[in-house]
Amino acid sequence: MTAGGIDLRAGGGADIDAVMAVMSDSFDRRYGEAWTAPQCAGLLPMPGVWLTLASDHAGAIGFSLSRVVANEAELLLLAVRSSTQRRGVGKMLLQRFIEDAKKRGADRLHLEVREGNHAVKLYEEFGFALVGRRRNYYSGPDGRCYDALTMAKIVDGLD
Ligand SMILES: CC(C)(COP(=O)(O)OP(=O)(O)OC[C@H]1O[C@@H](n2cnc3c(N)ncnc32)[C@H](O)[C@@H]1OP(=O)(O)O)[C@@H](O)C(=O)NCCC(=O)NCCS
């Protein structure tokens, strides 16, 4: 266990149900940001992809899904159960992503996030900066579309 009784561990295919439980609880359905179980299960076995699960005494409360290709690592998903948000779990998972990415040889980190998502503030706090925009990247169930912001961070031995 780490600070606050939260444990971070590497996950795998056996954790898809836990991932989907957090996914459906955390993402706002209006924006079409959440992934389906087949999307997650299909990506997990691919080279360079890794899953990190955050748990407390009651089970999984958050996760991150990431991928490294050569010297670039991408944070694909980050989510924390709504009942445990604003307690630092997102920061723990983001810090772990940065550390794992560096261990895997990445020096450029990037991610996409919906414009207006409060996670933008979290990413900025960790040194990610806006580098691009993908118009209408997300589409909600009502057909409305939302831009994605591309954010990136260069890491070195001091991060
Ligand atoms: C984004 C998310 C993972 C953050 O998880 P969390 O455990 O609440 O994060 P933390 O408690 O570590 O908070 C980190 C920072 O995020 C920002 N933040 C998180 N929730 C926020 C909110 N409701 N309003 C404003 N800022 C918020 C703040 O900067 C916060 O720092 P602070 O508490 O010191 O002000 C969580 O809100 C979530 O699962 N959201 C739905 C899924 C999602 O949109 N993921 C991001 C795109 S993949």
Side-chain angles (χ1 to χ4, degrees):
M1 285 284 166
T2 52
I6 309 294
D7 177 58
L8 296 189
R9 68 166 175 88
D15 298 305
I16 290 290
D17 287 350
V19 164
M20 292 313 296
V22 174
M23 187 102 67
S24 59
D25 177 80
S26 56
F27 280 94
D28 189 327
R29 285 178 178 71
R30 279 177 298 174
Y31 302 118
E33 299 160 284
W35 291 24
T36 63
Q39 284 174 317
C40 293
L43 197 79
L44 257 182
M46 296 183 70
V49 174
W50 78 98
L51 171 69
T52 304
L53 276 177
S55 307
D56 66 7
H57 63 282
I61 55 170
F63 72 91
S64 64
L65 183 66
S66 316
R67 171 171 55 195
V68 67
V69 178
N71 69 323
E72 296 200 6
E74 182 176 12
L75 179 64
L76 298 162
L77 286 169
L78 174 70
V80 174
R81 268 190 189 280
S82 49
S83 59
T84 47
Q85 288 177 7
R86 297 312 289 271
R87 295 185 197 169
V89 180
K91 287 181 186 176
M92 287 174 66
L93 283 163
L94 186 54
Q95 184 61 42
R96 179 64 64 90
F97 161 70
I98 293 168
E99 289 163 9
D100 286 348
K102 284 165 60 178
K103 283 184 195 154
R104 289 166 184 258
D107 59 12
R108 185 178 190 277
L109 315 183
H110 61 104
L111 58 89
E112 251 122 31
V113 59
R114 176 180 51 81
E115 184 174 38
N117 188 325
H118 53 241
V120 171
K121 186 164 171 254
L122 169 62
Y123 299 140
E124 284 173 345
E125 278 178 27
F126 275 71
F128 285 82
L130 180 67
V131 294
R133 171 185 294 269
R134 292 182 172 208
R135 300 259 175 224
N136 300 327
Y137 186 76
Y138 301 103
S139 60
D142 62 358
R144 275 192 68 182
C145 292
Y146 305 89
D147 290 358
L149 305 178
T150 303
M151 303 184 77
K153 171 182 170 75
I154 306 297
V155 291
D156 57 31
L158 301 175
D159 283 287

